[in-house]
Amino acid sequence: MKLYFSPGACSLAPHIVLRETGLPFELERVDTKTKVMASGDDFWQVNPKGMVPTLKLDDGELLTEGPAISQFIADQKPEAGLLPAVGSLARYRVLEWLNFVGTEIHKQFTPMFKPNTPDDYKAIARENVLKAFKLVDAHLAGKQYLTGDSFTVADAYLFTVSNWARLHNIDIAQWPNFAAYQERVRSRPAVQEALKAEGLIKAA
Ligand SMILES: N[C@@H](CCC(=O)N[C@@H](CS)C(=O)NCC(=O)O)C(=O)O
């Protein structure tokens, strides 16, 4: 498998999931602004959406949309425990969070990154993120991870988007459960490896 990624972007979530499974994979860096890949090739030719994450499977099939990619990877290695069994309520709890993170957090941050978003709209998006973070903090009280004691694909996604807070002067420290959770996820070996591979922290 090959994961097309951009450092620190939402592609960090399936990148973490890949490392948590221990499955073999390659990375290809994409400049999301110019759509030029590290190889010099045109990313539009790979994914007409022009977006990361994009996963190329060993048979050449292409999978897009982060939550679908993370579920696919987790299902290749069920014993890694990143996504409960099909049909169990526990699985739908993880999907419930994946959807919440995607729609109520990730896509609220998106307009805040765009230079042409009117300031009034950026302020509304910011309020939406703050509301979602407050809810996440309350939910995390007494929990190790979003759905209990086990790290899942939803945690990889929440961790990824929560890292964008500081880029917008949102201080996670104001939510103690959330802040402790962020550090808990950050300290996982697979997360450290992914952050290093993306150049987000220095290799020792
Ligand atoms: N719906 C997509 C959204 C992915 C997305 O927003 N990717 C951003 C990086 S976080 C991107 O590639 N942006 C480039 C662009 O919008 O041109 C998913 O969930 O995977």
Side-chain angles (χ1 to χ4, degrees):
M1 289 183 280
K2 186 196 267 191
L3 178 71
Y4 296 86
F5 82 105
S6 176
C10 50
S11 45
L12 177 61
H15 183 182
I16 290 170
V17 174
L18 277 164
R19 289 186 188 271
E20 289 278 353
T21 61
L23 292 167
F25 66 97
E26 291 169 32
L27 287 172
E28 171 101 37
R29 186 179 171 135
V30 179
D31 182 325
T32 48
K33 289 200 174 66
T34 62
K35 312 297 177 192
V36 177
M37 299 186 283
S39 60
D41 291 341
D42 180 11
F43 184 55
W44 287 120
Q45 302 302 317
V46 176
N47 179 358
K49 290 178 177 170
M51 287 183 168
V52 293
T54 298
L55 189 71
K56 193 187 237 174
L57 308 185
D58 294 340
D59 64 2
E61 281 273 343
L62 212 68
L63 195 59
T64 65
E65 300 301 316
I69 292 172
S70 285
Q71 288 172 66
F72 174 82
I73 298 164
D75 282 339
Q76 303 310 299
K77 189 84 184 281
E79 60 273 31
L82 300 164
L83 188 57
V86 172
S88 65
L89 180 60
R91 186 175 180 109
Y92 297 104
R93 287 283 172 230
V94 175
L95 301 188
E96 187 177 24
W97 277 106
L98 272 184
N99 203 65
F100 182 84
V101 174
T103 57
E104 307 301 333
I105 306 179
H106 178 177
K107 283 297 151 181
Q108 301 305 317
F109 266 119
T110 299
M112 294 163 67
F113 281 109
K114 297 203 187 286
N116 58 349
T117 303
D119 285 346
D120 285 0
Y121 189 72
K122 278 189 182 162
I124 293 169
R126 185 186 174 86
E127 278 310 310
N128 290 341
V129 168
L130 294 178
K131 196 172 127 200
F133 278 6
K134 190 174 168 204
L135 189 140
V136 163
D137 181 62
H139 174 80
L140 285 171
K143 291 189 186 68
Q144 295 287 304
Y145 297 107
L146 275 174
T147 55
D149 289 337
S150 302
F151 178 88
T152 72
V153 293
D155 296 299
Y157 197 13
L158 177 60
F159 171 75
T160 296
V161 298
S162 72
N163 280 325
W164 301 341
R166 63 190 156 75
L167 304 174
H168 300 283
N169 294 320
I170 297 172
D171 187 3
I172 297 270
Q174 67 190 287
W175 300 289
N177 303 316
F178 198 0
Y181 164 87
Q182 205 185 31
E183 288 318 305
R184 189 173 304 123
V185 176
R186 193 186 306 283
S187 66
R188 293 177 69 84
V191 175
Q192 287 290 305
E193 282 168 28
L195 292 171
K196 278 182 204 146
E198 295 201 6
L200 301 170
I201 54 173
K202 284 202 181 83

